[in-house]
């Protein structure tokens, strides 16, 4: 709900502070007093284009500040504010400020945080719904008609939305499987050739590292072969050092009992023989491990070359070749078994499509029934609003499959025909702005719907009508405003008398300076303003009495 509006240096308004409350508020004033200026100022808050012509003559800049309060902020609006990193605590007002410079530049703020004007336009629909002479939003916009009809019908779309998502997933899975099989089939010959190459080599996990280590070890063996051969005499042959040590141990063993030192010497010699034996074993193992075999080395290097060449061909590492081989086998197996899987996916997609269509058809039928009820309800409102020659129709048409969606397979649009025999046309194409506003009022009354915005404004809905029609308009505006906030710019005393609050817009001049101001009228002021609206320039006692009767009757 709009709670406050502050305007500085907008055209004829020098400074203005207005407070608003719930219910029906009416704004009146003589023609040319500046009612449009208020709407232009509010338009800046809603993200309209900044026009330097709005800045009061002689001033550098103008500003408008509006405060809104919510019992519960709409979730979609909160998401937009969250995306813009604007944190508003529950119960905290939303304060929008727009500043316009004389050169046409502008800045926007939400709760003192700079924002883009695009964000103001995004949240405008949640704040103010404006119906006037050039209405192109709200109920006029066909994009919202389906949601309005569903709300009127009490349609539960949760199941349909779930069925749509399931249908879309099934279609995507089927399309992905088809693409994969088509891609694999197109590459089948190449895949078979690649797999044949891999099968011929049979690469193994960590094989590259093992081959490289074997090659390096063999290359070291070639380098150390001379040294190892020279060391071989230490343990081979009867005259080797180890053989002599063993002979000395046997001789010492015969005489060791003759003296303790001989026994100790024998023990030391035995230990030396054991250590020498270990050394002999290690030298034998090293010689065997580093045995240089030119044929084996050539085999290892050829294998490494082939593996690395194949890895480059497949744009992977040698260690990844086994995985690549398994992947090729799986892909080729998938081609062979793909038709069966494809059939299963196609069957699932067809079932999901059928489930969606069944629910969508039920929603379609519910919409058609609700459309007929809504047409009757709107028709009942037309005659009291001097639209008895007009006809209203809710068009529900089924869309082609490429336009189906989570909300069903229907297009919904509100159509009117203003004259007998005339074709039905969209609301937006109606010729008369006054007629359009009354159609909007009739539709809103029939829908018993507040439009989703916290504040609804009707601009001169009573243009060109009076008497009973104006009374009917006022009664319906008051009914719509009962549980919300509705502002009406009006020239009709019958509408003004229905207002819970009454603002009078007046223009005054001091020398060459002209200013527009707005007064919140008390009971006496209301009676006098409505009397003026009834009688014109000269307010008569009869007009005052009639104004009092209108107010009491409202």
């Amino acid at each position: 709900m709009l709670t406050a509006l502050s305007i500085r240096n907008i055209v004829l308004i020098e400074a203005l502070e207005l407070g608003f409350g719930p219910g029906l508020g009416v704004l009146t004033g003589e023609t040319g007093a500046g009612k449009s200026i208020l709407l232009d100022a509010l338009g800046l808050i809603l993200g309209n284009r900044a026009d330097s012509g709005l800045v009061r003559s002689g001033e550098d800049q103008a500003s408008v500040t509006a405060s809104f309060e919510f019992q519960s902020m709409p979730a979609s609006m909160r998401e937009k504010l969250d995306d813009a990193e604007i944190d508003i605590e529950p119960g905290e007002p939303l304060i929008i400020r727009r500043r316009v410079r004389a050169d046409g530049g502008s800045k926007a703020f939400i709760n003192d945080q700079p924002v883009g004007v695009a964000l103001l336009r995004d949240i405008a629909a949640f704040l103010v719904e404006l119906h006037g002479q050039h209405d192109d939003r709200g109920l006029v916009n066909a994009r919202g008609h389906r949601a309005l009809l569903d709300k009127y019908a009490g349609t539960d779309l949760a199941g349909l939305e779930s069925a749509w998502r399931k249908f879309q997933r099934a279609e995507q899975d089927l399309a992905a499987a088809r693409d994969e099989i088509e891609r694999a089939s197109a590459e089948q010959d190449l895949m078979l050739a690649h797999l044949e190459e891999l099968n011929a080599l049979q690469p193994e996990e960590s094989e590259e590292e093992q081959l490289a280590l074997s090659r390096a070890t063999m290359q070291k063996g070639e380098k150390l072969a001379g040294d190892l051969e020279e060391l071989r005499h230490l343990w081979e042959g009867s005259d080797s050092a180890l053989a002599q040590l063993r002979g000395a141990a046997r001789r010492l063993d015969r005489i060791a009992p003759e003296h303790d030192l001989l026994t100790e010497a024998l023990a030391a010699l035995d230990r030396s023989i054991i250590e020498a034996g270990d050394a002999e074993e290690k030298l034998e193992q090293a010689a065997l491990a580093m045995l240089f075999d030119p044929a084996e080395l050539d085999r290892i290097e050829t294998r490494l070359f082939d593996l690395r060449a194949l890895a480059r061909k497949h744009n992977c590492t040698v260690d990844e070749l086994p995985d690549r081989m398994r992947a090729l086998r799986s892909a080729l197996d998938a081609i062979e078994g793909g038709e069966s899987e494809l059939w299963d996916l196609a069957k699932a997609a067809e079932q999901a499509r059928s489930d969606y269509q069944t629910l969508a058809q039920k929603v379609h039928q519910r919409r058609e029934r609700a459309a007929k009820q809504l047409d009757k309800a709107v028709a009942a409102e037309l005659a009291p609003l001097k639209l008895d020659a007009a006809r209203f129709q809710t068009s529900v048409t089924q869309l082609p499959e490429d336009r189906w969606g989570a909300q069903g397979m229907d297009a919904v649009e509100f159509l009117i025909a203003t004259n007998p025999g005339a074709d039905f046309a969209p609301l937006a194409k109606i010729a008369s702005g006054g007629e359009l506003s009354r159609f909007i009022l009739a539709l809103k009354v029939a829908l018993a719907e507040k439009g989703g915005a916290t504040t609804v404004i009707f601009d001169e809905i009573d243009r060109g009508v009076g008497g009973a029609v104006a009374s009917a308009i006022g009664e319906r505006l008051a009914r719509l405003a009962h549980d919300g906030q509705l502002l009406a710019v009006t020239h009709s005393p019958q509408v003004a008398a229905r207002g819970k609050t009454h603002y009078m817009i007046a223009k005054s001049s001091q020398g060459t300076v002209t200013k527009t101001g707005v007064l919140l009228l008390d009971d006496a002021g209301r009676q006098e303003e409505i009397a003026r609206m009834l009688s014109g320039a000269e307010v008569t006692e009869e007009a005052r009495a009639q104004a009092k009767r209108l107010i009491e009757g409202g």
Side-chain angles (χ1 to χ4, degrees), residues 47 57 124 138 144 147 156 160 181 221 254 266 296 386 437 487 533:
S57 178
D156 183 3
L160 182 61
I181 289 176
R254 291 195 297 270
L266 177 61
E296 179 63 12
K386 201 178 178 181
S437 294
L487 301 175
M533 296 170 72

Side-chain angles (χ1 to χ4, degrees), residues 333-393:
D333 290 343
I335 294 174
E336 294 179 4
E339 291 302 324
S340 175
E341 180 185 0
L342 202 62
W343 188 86
D344 290 339
L345 289 172
K347 187 176 180 181
E350 184 58 32
Q351 184 61 51
R353 183 180 188 275
S354 177
D355 293 343
Y356 167 77
Q357 279 187 289
T358 299
L359 290 175
Q361 187 62 32
K362 289 180 180 178
V363 169
H364 171 74
Q365 293 168 356
R366 187 180 186 92
R367 285 169 176 162
E368 285 192 322
R369 290 193 299 269
K372 293 177 181 178
Q373 295 170 0
L374 180 60
D375 292 350
K376 290 180 181 178
V378 173
E381 297 291 333
L382 296 180
L385 296 175
K386 201 178 178 181
L387 293 168
D388 44 310
R391 292 168 295 149
F392 176 86
Q393 181 183 81

Side-chain angles (χ1 to χ4, degrees), residues 289-311:
M290 292 189 290
L291 179 65
F292 173 65
D293 183 347
E296 179 63 12
L297 181 60
D298 182 63
R299 186 196 70 79
I300 290 173
E301 289 184 333
T302 300
R303 176 86 176 162
L304 273 173
F305 177 83
D306 291 342
L307 288 170
R308 288 170 176 172
L310 198 56

Side-chain angles (χ1 to χ4, degrees), residues 6-10 13-17 56 61-64:
S6 174
I7 302 175
R8 295 287 185 274
N9 298 322
I10 296 288
I13 299 176
E14 183 177 25
L16 183 63
E17 302 284 345
R56 182 175 169 83
Q61 66 178 22
S63 68
V64 183

Side-chain angles (χ1 to χ4, degrees), residues 15 85 117 130 185 261 341 393-394 432-433 464 544:
E85 298 182 351
V117 175
L130 175 61
S185 297
L261 288 176
E341 180 185 0
Q393 181 183 81
T394 304
S432 164
R544 291 188 178 96

Side-chain angles (χ1 to χ4, degrees), residues 33-318:
K35 293 185 291 294
S36 63
I37 300 175
L38 281 176
L39 297 181
D40 288 341
L42 191 57
L44 291 174
I45 294 297
L46 303 179
N48 290 357
R49 187 178 65 86
D51 186 346
S52 61
L54 291 174
V55 180
R56 182 175 169 83
S57 178
E59 300 293 337
D60 294 331
Q61 66 178 22
S63 68
V64 183
T65 304
S67 179
F68 296 87
E69 293 183 2
F70 303 86
Q71 287 186 343
S72 177
M73 183 178 291
S76 298
M77 179 179 175
R78 182 167 291 281
E79 287 177 8
K80 294 179 184 296
L81 294 174
D82 288 343
D83 289 343
E85 298 182 351
I86 297 174
D87 185 24
I88 297 179
E89 297 295 329
E92 183 182 359
L94 179 76
I95 301 173
I96 301 177
R97 179 162 54 94
R98 185 86 179 273
R99 192 167 62 214
V100 183
R101 298 194 305 271
D103 62 6
S106 76
K107 291 185 177 180
F109 304 84
I110 294 181
N111 287 27
D112 289 328
Q113 182 172 327
V115 297
V117 175
L119 179 59
L120 301 188
R121 289 193 289 269
D122 285 344
I123 66 174
F126 302 103
L127 302 176
V128 175
E129 181 182 338
L130 175 61
H131 301 293
Q133 299 300 302
H134 305 289
D135 192 352
D136 62 353
R137 294 181 293 180
L139 295 181
V140 173
N141 193 329
R143 285 179 295 182
H145 291 177
R146 184 171 59 193
L148 288 169
L149 181 63
D150 283 337
K151 185 173 182 181
Y152 178 77
T155 307
D156 183 3
L157 296 175
L160 182 61
E161 291 171 352
S162 176
W164 168 256
R165 290 192 294 270
K166 185 176 180 180
F167 173 34
Q168 292 306 291
R169 284 195 300 270
E171 288 285 326
Q172 290 165 6
D173 291 344
L174 177 59
R178 281 176 175 156
D179 289 345
E180 180 62 24
I181 289 176
E182 288 177 5
R183 183 194 63 77
S185 297
E187 299 176 358
Q188 188 172 17
D189 291 342
L190 181 61
M191 292 165 65
L192 285 168
H194 285 168
L195 185 58
E196 185 177 354
E197 289 178 332
L198 287 164
N199 280 330
L201 274 182
Q202 285 295 315
E204 298 176 1
E205 303 288 346
S206 305
E207 184 178 5
E208 181 184 26
E209 182 181 0
Q210 293 171 4
L211 287 172
L213 179 61
S214 296
R215 182 182 64 176
T217 302
M218 192 171 290
Q219 288 171 339
K220 290 178 182 177
E222 180 184 14
K223 184 178 180 180
L224 300 175
D227 293 331
L228 291 174
E229 187 60 33
E230 289 180 5
L231 288 170
R232 189 176 296 275
H233 77 277
L234 293 175
W235 68 84
E236 286 187 350
S238 58
D239 60 343
S240 67
L242 185 54
Q244 292 178 20
L245 279 175
R246 287 172 177 157
R250 286 193 296 271
R251 182 174 296 180
L252 186 56
D253 183 56
R254 291 195 297 270
I255 63 173
E258 300 299 328
H259 196 280
D260 290 341
L261 288 176
L262 292 175
T263 302
E264 291 177 8
L266 177 61
L269 188 58
D270 286 340
R271 289 195 297 272
S272 297
I273 291 171
I274 292 171
E275 291 294 334
D278 289 341
E280 176 187 14
E281 185 179 351
K282 294 290 190 273
L283 285 169
E284 288 285 357
Q285 291 174 354
L288 184 62
M290 292 189 290
L291 179 65
F292 173 65
D293 183 347
E296 179 63 12
L297 181 60
D298 182 63
R299 186 196 70 79
I300 290 173
E301 289 184 333
T302 300
R303 176 86 176 162
L304 273 173
F305 177 83
D306 291 342
L307 288 170
R308 288 170 176 172
L310 198 56
R312 287 193 297 272
K313 186 174 184 178
H314 287 275
N315 194 28
C316 66
T317 66
V318 171

